[in-house]
Amino acid sequence: MKFSRRAERIDPFYVMEVAKAAQAMAREVAGSSQPMIFLNIGEPDFTAPPLVQEAAVRAVHDGATQYTQSLGYEPLRERISGWYQQRFGVNVPARRIVVTAGASAALHLACLALIEAGDEVLMPDPSYPCNRHFVSAAEGNAVLVPTTAAERYQLSAEKVQAAWNSKTRGVLLASPSNPTGTSIAPDELRRIHGVVQERGGVTMIDEIYLGLSYDDAFGQTALAIDDNVISINSFSKYFNMTGWRLGWMVVPDAMVSVVERLAQNLFICASTVSQLAAMACFEAESIAEYERRRAEFKARRDYFIPELQALGLAVPVMPDGAFYAWADCTRACEKLGVQGSWDFAYEVMRRAHVAVTPGRDFGTFDPQRFVRFSTANSMAQLQESVARLRSLLG
């Protein structure tokens, strides 16, 4: 069977390959004194709170399961608009909000709407691998620009300007970022957007972890900068609805009808039950629970990262959001006698029964030095992981 060149350009998602190996080993050690601990997948251990679950049951019971408009259930778009006003003090009209089948569908729609074959999109290295694959799926080319700890592993206006050429279409950023948990300073983001706008390009920004921000200096939406910024968001992370496959995007007015036409043909609409359930995310009781959980994620970060540092797994930049630690495993590899983060991940999985993610997925600039830990797990599990890693690494 002959497959398209487009399909061949998409690399395997190595996070999931490692996850499969971890699951297989987990079955082997399930009855042992050290069952597998999963610090490899970026999925909250919390699930949707009670009001959201009840709203979903009510929708099914009432038979409210037919298609919505392709742009999304209008009352939900209004709720999201109100959340931007309440949380960030930014006026985002509901007419510019498109509800999608997860942030993945939003990124897919944005790339299809904006990218021509051969266009280049600048992204930081390291960054989330699937984001660059959305560019590839639209027959564009993701250009990974190496970043440093001093730059918080984010692009700068200077680097965007230096990397820009006649093929460049724009930038695709993430703030806070996966795998580093770091955000772009608002002033720097404004400068980046200025460079992009001067060149007639587009600024797309993945803000799916924005609700899980722990530092007021960074926890601001890019939509405060300009109506031409395209923001991608999700109910998966802050709102703890990963498997419900629900996200949204905010686009300029001129882009709404284009995205609507694409969504009508490619997706029809996001899950109606998920949309009706998500209405309850914005109730005061739900928001209070989400804020309690955000505080718990911060407490986990504050515990876990100093412990990693003490074990010689240096985290060059303290994450200001999300639930990740981007750790340099160079010293740990030397102790274990292994070469690079890929072998380190499998060695830790085999000997400590702790699953972590090697840097291979996230870029090409020195990925063998880094592993990503996810702290989207209970404090007890994080403490047990530290104990096992301490036994392994001395």
Side-chain angles (χ1 to χ4, degrees):
M1 184 177 292
K2 181 179 180 182
F3 298 104
S4 69
R5 282 182 291 178
R6 183 186 307 107
E8 297 299 332
R9 292 175 63 193
I10 305 297
D11 294 328
F13 192 9
Y14 292 106
V15 168
M16 302 313 294
E17 295 299 314
V18 174
K20 285 192 293 186
Q23 288 286 358
M25 186 169 293
R27 290 190 289 271
E28 295 177 12
V29 301
S32 73
S33 60
Q34 286 195 342
M36 186 68 67
I37 296 176
F38 296 93
L39 303 185
N40 55 322
I41 301 296
E43 180 174 33
D45 56 324
F46 300 113
T47 58
L51 289 184
V52 177
Q53 297 180 36
E54 291 163 11
V57 171
R58 192 161 53 247
V60 173
H61 183 268
D62 294 346
T65 58
Q66 296 179 314
Y67 297 136
T68 68
Q69 297 179 36
S70 291
L71 294 176
Y73 182 52
E74 185 62 33
L76 178 57
R77 296 166 73 198
E78 293 286 352
R79 285 284 179 98
I80 295 169
S81 173
W83 188 69
Y84 278 110
Q85 184 66 59
Q86 180 182 12
R87 181 81 176 222
F88 306 107
V90 176
N91 179 32
V92 179
R95 68 175 185 273
R96 293 175 48 213
I97 296 170
V98 182
V99 180
T100 59
S104 296
L107 282 158
H108 190 43
L109 289 167
C111 289
L112 289 177
L114 296 167
I115 296 171
E116 298 279 10
D119 282 351
E120 294 183 354
V121 177
L122 306 179
M123 299 175 63
D125 185 339
S127 59
Y128 184 57
C130 295
N131 286 5
R132 67 178 183 265
H133 296 326
F134 287 116
V135 174
S136 294
E139 300 189 4
N141 298 308
V143 177
L144 297 181
V145 180
T147 61
T148 66
E151 298 165 318
R152 303 182 58 76
Y153 299 114
Q154 295 282 2
L155 292 185
S156 64
E158 289 73 20
K159 283 197 168 177
V160 171
Q161 191 166 4
W164 200 281
N165 62 51
S166 60
K167 294 182 180 179
T168 307
R169 182 69 180 100
V171 297
L172 175 51
L173 312 169
S175 185
S177 168
N178 178 3
T180 64
T182 61
S183 300
I184 309 172
D187 288 346
E188 190 61 38
L189 184 55
R190 190 178 297 274
R191 284 190 287 270
I192 291 171
H193 182 61
V195 170
V196 173
Q197 289 287 282
E198 286 171 5
R199 288 154 179 77
V202 293
T203 301
M204 296 181 282
I205 183 160
D206 171 348
E207 295 191 314
I208 72 172
Y209 294 100
L210 183 62
L212 293 175
S213 185
Y214 314 121
D215 188 330
D216 291 341
F218 298 105
Q220 303 168 42
T221 176
L223 296 168
I225 294 173
D226 183 16
D227 288 352
N228 286 323
V229 170
I230 296 155
S231 172
I232 308 297
N233 219 309
S234 174
F235 284 93
S236 289
K237 309 303 181 180
Y238 176 73
F239 295 104
N240 306 153
M241 294 177 68
T242 50
W244 302 66
R245 305 316 303 132
L246 194 66
W248 76 87
M249 62 196 302
V250 181
V251 300
D253 278 310
M255 192 173 162
V256 173
S257 62
V258 178
V259 170
E260 181 178 24
R261 187 170 71 248
L262 289 169
Q264 286 169 340
N265 284 278
L266 297 178
F267 298 102
I268 301 181
C269 68
S271 162
T272 300
V273 172
S274 294
Q275 291 189 68
L276 294 176
M279 292 284 290
C281 288
F282 303 101
E283 296 295 331
E285 180 182 326
S286 297
I287 292 294
E289 177 60 17
Y290 288 132
E291 286 300 290
R292 185 194 69 77
R293 294 174 179 186
R294 182 168 72 104
E296 175 62 22
F297 279 126
K298 181 178 183 295
R300 295 172 184 180
R301 178 202 69 168
D302 292 346
Y303 161 75
F304 192 67
I305 289 182
E307 293 289 346
L308 288 183
Q309 306 272 31
L311 291 168
L313 289 159
V315 180
V317 185
M318 184 69 160
D320 57 84
F323 35 62
Y324 301 113
W326 186 239
D328 188 332
C329 63
T330 304
R331 284 177 57 193
C333 286
E334 292 173 358
K335 282 190 176 182
L336 296 180
V338 298
Q339 297 293 317
S341 61
W342 183 266
D343 291 343
F344 174 80
Y346 276 87
E347 192 74 357
V348 168
M349 188 192 308
R350 184 177 66 83
R351 294 173 59 182
H353 300 165
V354 175
V356 302
T357 299
R360 183 175 180 177
D361 263 324
F362 303 102
T364 58
F365 180 62
D366 228 8
Q368 72 279 1
R369 279 182 55 200
F370 292 94
V371 288
R372 188 196 72 178
F373 290 86
S374 169
T375 54
N377 211 325
S378 71
M379 185 68 82
Q381 292 275 276
L382 294 176
Q383 290 168 340
E384 173 62 18
S385 298
V386 167
R388 294 186 193 180
L389 290 170
R390 187 180 295 118
S391 295
L392 182 63
L393 299 173

